[in-house]
Amino acid sequence: MRLILLGPPGAGKGTQAQRLVDRHGIPQLSTGDMLRAAVQAGTEVGKRAKAVMDAGELVSDAIVNAIVAERIDQPDCANGFILDGYPRTLVQADAVESMLAERGIGLDAVVEFVVDDKALVGRIVKRAEDAKAAGQPVRKDDNPVVFEERLREYYKKTAPLIGYYYAKRLLRSVDGMAGIDTVTAEIEALLAAVTRETVTAK
Ligand code: AMP
């Protein structure tokens, strides 16, 4: 199964991706995590991405496309993967399409998390507090000021993907404001429906 999780920062994509990993045994490919690892490791990519990420802006399409293209060729992606936080622009969406077409594979679904923006900043602040309480590092971009910029970037550059995937009949929406277990159940139900449609079409 190959999925894209689409939604603004704080929508719950990472939490649900983790549950999908456990349930379906396919890896979560979070470009945010990969970029943070590159920053941590001090690689060339990390050096170029750091200031952009700290400001809440998007890293260049060329950088993230290259990271993902390399990652999906790893053996653990053979049975599928969950793209979390990628694609985030129309250029990236076209890149995914080419990447998959070149490998003779396709997407099963794009899961859109429908959320109330006003509640998101509260979630981000809580995520930072929880990380701090657990003695984990707090993300530099998890604060209300940078969050505003991340949300602006989402509406300017990422939200157009909703129409893009709707037109491709891949878009499925879940209520991202529901409780974590309810969202998981919604996702499982829609994936079961997608699987049934695929089987029927064959
Ligand atoms: P995330 O962990 O998904 O919230 O991503 C954290 C930051 O990493 C974003 O605010 C961007 O600066 C960068 N980033 C992650 N994924 C992408 C992407 N697909 N395209 C561009 N920048 C990204």
Side-chain angles (χ1 to χ4, degrees), residues 74-137:
Q74 302 297 311
D76 63 332
C77 292
N79 292 326
F81 45 79
I82 305 147
L83 291 173
D84 164 15
Y86 177 91
R88 257 173 154 106
T89 66
L90 288 168
V91 171
Q92 293 176 22
D94 283 338
V96 174
E97 188 153 307
S98 312
M99 267 178 229
L100 298 187
E102 279 163 18
R103 291 160 177 81
I105 50 182
L107 286 170
D108 293 285
V110 176
V111 182
E112 178 205 1
F113 289 62
V114 180
V115 287
D116 168 10
D117 294 348
K118 287 189 280 302
L120 294 181
V121 69
R123 284 192 183 179
I124 291 284
V125 168
K126 186 170 181 312
R127 180 158 80 186
E129 284 168 359
D130 289 349
K132 204 169 164 189
Q136 292 162 356

Side-chain angles (χ1 to χ4, degrees), residues 130-149:
D130 289 349
K132 204 169 164 189
Q136 292 162 356
V138 176
R139 281 175 55 171
K140 239 184 161 168
D141 59 352
D142 270 355
N143 69 69
V145 176
V146 179
F147 178 77
E148 282 293 321
E149 183 56 29

Side-chain angles (χ1 to χ4, degrees), residues 62-77:
I63 289 182
V64 286
N65 288 341
I67 292 179
V68 174
E70 197 183 310
R71 182 66 184 87
I72 62 172
D73 285 333
Q74 302 297 311
D76 63 332
C77 292

